[in-house]
Amino acid sequence: MKSTPLPRLPKRQPDGHKGTYGRALLIGGSRGMSGSIALSGLSCLKSGAGLVTLAVPHRCLETVASFHPAYMTMPLPDDANGALSKKALPKIHELLEAKDAAAVGPGLGQSADVQRIVQELFASAPCPLVIDADGLNALAKAGDALKPATHPRILTPHPGEFARLEAALLDEAKETGANDAGGAEPDRDRQKAAAKLLASKLNSIVVLKGHRTFVTDGERTHENETGNPGMATGGTGDCLTGTLAALLGQKLAPFEAAVLGVHVHGLAGDLAAAACGQVGMTALDLAEHLPAAFKALERKDG
């Protein structure tokens, strides 16, 4: 398969300021799962976003804020279990009005209110939006009620999440009963074909994560060549979410942002593995190596 040439961020200008490089809003977290959205926020910062705000359930606020001083936090109404309440929707819409890009999903949980929030944001968020983790499970729950996106959207499923989306949203999967979740090793070629169908159906970019992560908008495709088995550890997908949001906020088109994002994310994983070893590296190690990954691309560009 012929891969798309690697996109590049434009060089930063001497008169640039925080607003020049994107205002990103990341929505996620719940009681016991604060680290996911914190890793996304850290990765968003280290991927060049000018201003990063994490919108999280009220009872998670102090925990999330303690991870890093350079992103802002915004409390949202939560339920008795520490997950977002549907009462958070008006505040989320208010926050989105001044944002260049957003992401939703890391650490959200899977309550009915969370499903409603994610499905409404997929339909109506005015800025480019990345959907990951529990956000993807919320889309799968919508089934046939989920309509094609009218604004830029990037979906980032791993094979299990993709199997649930495929089973719920693609007629071909419903007819054949195709579903890889919990079964044998997935047929990657069949999944890539299904990813193209899903991207077309939802008018979105699909990033099918795994060995040689596959990116498609339904017509164009790209297979990533960076990354290593050390990245098979909790939180690395949350890092990708933050990186993609940062690139969208810096005005890369969605497909180009996805292609560059998975490359840099994998390269940061390779640099982390070189420094720490594949066995012991963590998602935090990957996030900390994102600046070096971007710097390596700058050197390659001369």
Side-chain angles (χ1 to χ4, degrees):
M1 177 180 293
K2 185 178 180 180
S3 289
T4 304
L6 191 65
R8 292 289 194 269
L9 284 170
K11 289 187 177 181
R12 296 204 164 196
Q13 300 303 310
D15 59 349
H17 53 82
K18 289 178 290 188
T20 306
Y21 303 111
R23 297 174 172 87
L25 177 70
L26 278 58
I27 306 156
S30 59
R31 185 177 182 183
M33 293 192 289
S34 300
S36 299
I37 194 65
L39 282 167
S40 295
L42 176 62
S43 299
C44 195
L45 287 167
K46 289 184 175 290
S47 297
L51 290 167
V52 179
T53 301
L54 307 190
V56 301
H58 186 277
R59 71 189 64 199
C60 299
L61 185 75
E62 285 77 12
T63 302
V64 173
S66 70
F67 277 94
H68 204 279
Y71 54 61
M72 297 171 284
T73 50
M74 181 63 62
L76 296 174
D78 51 11
D79 62 20
N81 296 315
L84 286 184
S85 163
K86 61 185 177 182
K87 295 178 182 178
L89 268 170
K91 183 62 176 180
I92 292 172
H93 284 302
E94 178 185 332
L95 291 169
L96 284 170
E97 290 177 2
K99 298 299 184 289
D100 300 298
V104 63
L108 272 181
Q110 299 186 47
S111 69
D113 279 9
V114 162
Q115 291 169 22
R116 176 179 171 182
I117 290 168
V118 173
Q119 291 165 16
E120 181 166 329
L121 292 178
F122 180 84
S124 63
C127 61
L129 177 68
V130 183
I131 305 98
D132 184 31
D134 288 326
L136 297 168
N137 295 323
L139 295 187
K141 291 289 185 181
D144 291 334
L146 195 66
K147 304 302 180 186
T150 56
H151 300 280
R153 305 289 184 250
I154 300 179
L155 281 58
T156 62
H158 60 54
E161 291 162 343
F162 181 77
R164 290 188 282 276
L165 289 168
E166 182 186 8
L169 300 173
L170 290 183
D171 293 336
E172 293 83 352
K174 295 174 185 177
E175 292 170 1
T176 63
N179 190 329
D180 292 322
E185 184 69 19
D187 179 342
R188 189 68 171 178
D189 288 338
R190 186 196 63 75
Q191 279 202 329
K192 288 190 290 188
K196 290 180 66 176
L197 290 175
L198 184 65
S200 294
K201 181 180 177 69
L202 296 182
N203 190 31
S204 301
I205 310 301
V206 172
V207 175
L208 180 55
K209 296 185 290 194
H211 177 59
R212 295 181 66 88
T213 290
F214 180 73
V215 181
T216 181
D217 62 1
E219 295 184 2
R220 292 175 292 177
T221 63
H222 175 84
E223 283 197 84
N224 187 51
E225 297 181 354
T226 58
N228 64 85
M231 295 168 65
T233 185
T236 56
D238 303 313
C239 295
L240 177 61
T241 298
T243 294
L244 293 175
L247 297 179
L248 289 171
Q250 291 170 82
K251 306 301 189 296
L252 278 189
F255 184 77
E256 285 70 24
V259 169
L260 179 59
V262 298
H263 177 89
V264 171
H265 177 258
L267 180 56
D270 291 340
L271 294 171
C276 307
Q278 292 186 10
V279 173
M281 66 176 282
T282 68
L284 184 58
D285 296 317
L286 187 154
E288 295 291 356
H289 280 84
L290 282 166
F294 280 101
K295 188 174 182 179
L297 289 182
E298 292 174 2
R299 288 197 300 266
K300 188 175 180 180
D301 290 341

